[in-house]
Amino acid sequence: GGVVPLWEETERRMQAWWEGEAVREGVHVEDDNADADANANDADADHTAPIVIATGFVATSSEGVPTTLKRSGSDYSATIFAKVTHASRVTMWKNTDGVYTADPRRVPEAFSISSLKYDEAMELAYFGAQVLHPLAMVPCIDSNIPVYVRNIFNPAFEGTVIQGRCASLSEVNKDGKVVNWRSKRGVIPIKGITSVDRVSLLTLEGASVIGGAEVAERFMGSMADAGINVLMVTQASSESSITVVVPEDQGKKALGALRSTFELELSRSNVNAISLTDTPMSIVAIVGEGMAMNSGVS
């Protein structure tokens, strides 16, 4: 799981640092005397924003115990600071020209995407895009702070800007019209294609005697108790069968946990089978807000 910042405590500590240590170290000067005849140099200094260099990735708990923000913690640090300081933008300097339509190592024709919604960027990141981690964008969503992804080796290139939310399903359904996307010249409903390699399918079949709701609850509880990272879930109501996608290196552990949970049902044939694929598999995800209410995409 990800690290969730304690926002009120973080803001309080940031404010205390700004008013105390930051003043003592000369990061900025408190203006306690608003003389009308202040000289021009003082006026210019008052309007010059200080440059603060902060270490990313590391953090502390509410008790002051050192910890980390885990994977992509440096990007997460940047967006946390952006939220706390009410920044107007965040720029992530990477070694690529922004977020690409696909992995350029596999698809040479891939190109940089000019703009994405937060939801689209998080979906691409969740399903394998390596440029950003899904958590890194979360602090910017509430305040709609734009996140720019640019190339430090090609600073002249504009890169990708990530901002705004995708329309909800209810908002999309208000219009009620399904349009063939081919009729929209110049409009491409897909933003990107990405993948997750080395995954396995874990399936529980034929548990209709138990009941779908109970099966799902016990199935997912078993995965959680075993610390399995479930990437996708699908359920067939007709036979109360459930299939999940798990990382390949967690497959055998997930299989053992599930067999242990449904051991009694397996012995009584209330569950037909529990199986794990032994063929190398991958998830391929197609992402884009424009696919909603547009026929012909698939």
Side-chain angles (χ1 to χ4, degrees):
V3 176
V4 180
L6 303 174
W7 291 112
E8 291 184 2
E9 177 69 9
T10 301
E11 290 180 4
R12 186 189 66 77
R13 293 189 184 189
M14 183 74 180
Q15 187 68 29
W17 174 84
W18 180 255
E19 294 174 353
E21 190 173 346
V23 174
R24 292 193 296 271
E25 294 187 357
V27 176
H28 74 105
V29 179
E30 287 188 320
D31 186 11
D32 295 325
N33 185 9
D35 274 335
D37 58 348
N39 61 47
N41 289 335
D42 289 339
D44 288 340
D46 289 341
H47 289 85
T48 301
I51 297 174
V52 179
I53 300 175
T55 303
F57 186 69
V58 296
T60 60
S61 68
S62 57
E63 293 79 21
V65 178
T67 185
T68 69
L69 297 178
K70 299 185 178 180
R71 180 188 166 195
S72 198
S74 295
D75 290 349
Y76 199 12
S77 298
T79 53
I80 289 172
F81 277 119
K83 179 180 173 68
V84 171
T85 60
H86 308 286
S88 60
R89 64 183 286 168
V90 178
T91 301
M92 304 288 191
W93 291 102
K94 304 291 183 176
N95 60 356
T96 63
D97 288 335
V99 181
Y100 276 70
T101 53
D103 187 343
R105 294 169 298 183
R106 295 183 171 184
V107 185
E109 299 83 1
F111 55 89
S112 178
I113 306 168
S114 60
S115 65
L116 288 167
K117 300 288 182 67
Y118 293 124
D119 307 81
E120 293 173 321
M122 287 190 289
E123 283 289 300
L124 286 171
Y126 181 79
F127 286 111
Q130 299 296 317
V131 177
L132 289 175
H133 190 274
L135 271 181
M137 284 163 281
V138 172
C140 293
I141 291 176
D142 287 342
S143 302
N144 199 32
I145 301 171
V147 178
Y148 291 81
V149 183
R150 303 184 64 184
N151 191 345
I152 194 165
F153 300 112
N154 186 18
F157 192 78
E158 293 182 356
T160 302
V161 58
I162 304 168
Q163 188 177 27
R165 300 301 303 268
C166 292
S168 66
L169 188 59
S170 59
E171 290 171 336
V172 171
N173 287 333
K174 277 183 181 178
D175 185 21
K177 290 184 178 179
V178 177
V179 181
N180 190 303
W181 75 272
R182 292 184 181 86
S183 65
K184 300 180 179 180
R185 294 185 178 180
V187 177
I188 302 175
I190 296 170
K191 286 294 182 71
I193 301 175
T194 186
S195 64
V196 180
D197 296 329
R198 294 185 292 277
V199 299
S200 298
L201 298 181
L202 177 64
T203 302
L204 181 149
E205 300 178 68
S208 56
V209 176
I210 306 173
E214 182 182 348
V215 172
E217 181 181 3
R218 292 174 61 191
F219 191 117
M220 298 309 296
S222 172
M223 296 297 97
D225 291 343
I228 304 299
N229 181 22
V230 176
L231 302 174
M232 291 180 65
V233 182
T234 180
Q235 183 171 6
S237 59
S238 60
E239 296 182 0
S240 295
S241 298
I242 300 178
T243 296
V244 299
V245 181
V246 300
E248 192 176 68
D249 59 0
Q250 293 186 341
K252 291 183 179 179
K253 181 180 179 182
L255 178 63
L258 199 59
R259 283 178 172 168
S260 176
T261 299
F262 290 94
E263 182 177 8
L264 181 60
E265 288 78 8
L266 284 167
S267 66
R268 294 176 176 176
S269 298
N270 290 338
V271 170
N272 288 353
I274 296 176
S275 59
L276 179 73
T277 57
D278 54 8
T279 304
M281 306 189 80
S282 296
I283 299 172
V284 177
I286 301 173
V287 178
E289 181 189 20
M291 291 188 289
M293 301 301 284
N294 281 279
S295 66
V297 177
S298 60

